């Protein structure tokens, strides 16, 4: 793919799901974009910040349309320290996210999971 990525561009993205480390995943001009502190199903305004080999990172500017799974983080330092990446996600959504990770990890072992 030709490298035509332009950083520092503001755009609106639709988050489709969460990646393994908890960043939201969206697509912008055919490239995968990773956005921290978002939930699946949200529409967010971001600033594209860092190109990657197969995609890009973006900084969250605003949650335009929040998910029903979004909750207020318990810690006032949540986005500053980086220790807890998913405090903004409800307990049920977090459990679903972790179960999907476990199922994906066990898939190569041939486990028959629900």
């Amino acid at each position: 793919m030709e490298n035509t990525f332009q950083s520092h561009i503001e755009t609106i993205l639709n988050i489709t799901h969460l990646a393994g480390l908890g960043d939201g995943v969206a697509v912008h001009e055919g490239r995968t974009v990773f956005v921290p502190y978002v939930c699946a199903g949200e529409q967010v305004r971001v600033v594209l910040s860092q190109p990657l080999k197969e995609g890009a990172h973006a900084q969250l500017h605003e949650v335009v349309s929040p998910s029903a799974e979004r909750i207020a983080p318990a810690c006032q330092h949540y986005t500053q320290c980086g220790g807890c990446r998913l405090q903004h996600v409800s307990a049920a959504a977090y459990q679903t996210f972790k179960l999907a990770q476990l199922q994906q990890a066990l898939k190569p072992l041939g486990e028959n999971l629900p």
Side-chain angles (χ1 to χ4, degrees):
M1 175 181 283
E2 184 180 321
N3 189 1
T4 59
F5 177 84
Q6 294 181 19
S7 61
H8 308 295
I9 300 295
E10 186 174 299
T11 189
I12 293 179
L13 299 175
N14 294 312
I15 305 301
T16 59
H17 63 282
L18 297 181
L21 296 177
D23 286 345
V25 178
V27 176
H28 176 70
E29 296 181 354
R31 296 179 80 113
T32 301
V33 179
F34 298 96
V35 185
Y37 312 119
V38 298
C39 296
E42 291 185 325
Q43 186 176 65
V44 296
R45 185 180 315 277
V46 301
V47 176
L48 301 175
S49 60
Q50 178 185 0
L52 302 170
K53 184 175 182 180
E54 297 295 326
H57 277 190
Q59 294 175 343
L60 178 63
H61 181 68
E62 173 189 10
V63 176
V64 176
S65 178
S67 165
E69 298 169 343
R70 178 171 285 280
I71 62 171
C75 177
Q76 64 181 349
H77 305 290
Y78 169 54
T79 60
Q80 298 162 356
C81 79
C84 308
R85 297 187 56 99
L86 293 170
Q87 280 193 22
H88 64 282
V89 176
S90 71
Y94 183 77
Q95 288 171 348
T96 300
F97 170 71
K98 292 308 258 182
L99 178 60
Q101 284 186 312
L102 179 61
Q103 289 172 328
Q104 190 65 29
L106 293 176
K107 197 177 220 175
L109 300 176
E111 296 293 333
N112 205 3
L113 300 173

